[in-house]
Coordinates of all heavy atoms in Angstrom, one line a residue:
D526 N 33.0 10.4 12.8 CA 34.0 11.2 12.0 C 35.1 10.4 11.5 O 35.8 9.7 12.2 CB 34.5 12.4 12.9 CG 33.4 13.2 13.5 OD1 32.3 13.4 12.8 OD2 33.5 13.6 14.7
G645 N 34.4 21.2 15.4 CA 35.7 20.5 15.5 C 35.6 19.0 15.7 O 36.6 18.3 15.8
G723 N 31.3 35.3 8.0 CA 32.6 35.6 8.6 C 33.1 34.4 9.3 O 34.2 34.5 9.9
S749 N 48.5 21.3 -19.7 CA 48.6 20.6 -20.9 C 48.7 21.5 -22.2 O 49.4 21.3 -23.1 CB 47.6 19.5 -21.0 OG 47.7 18.9 -22.3

Side-chain angles (χ1 to χ4, degrees):
D526 304 323
S749 176

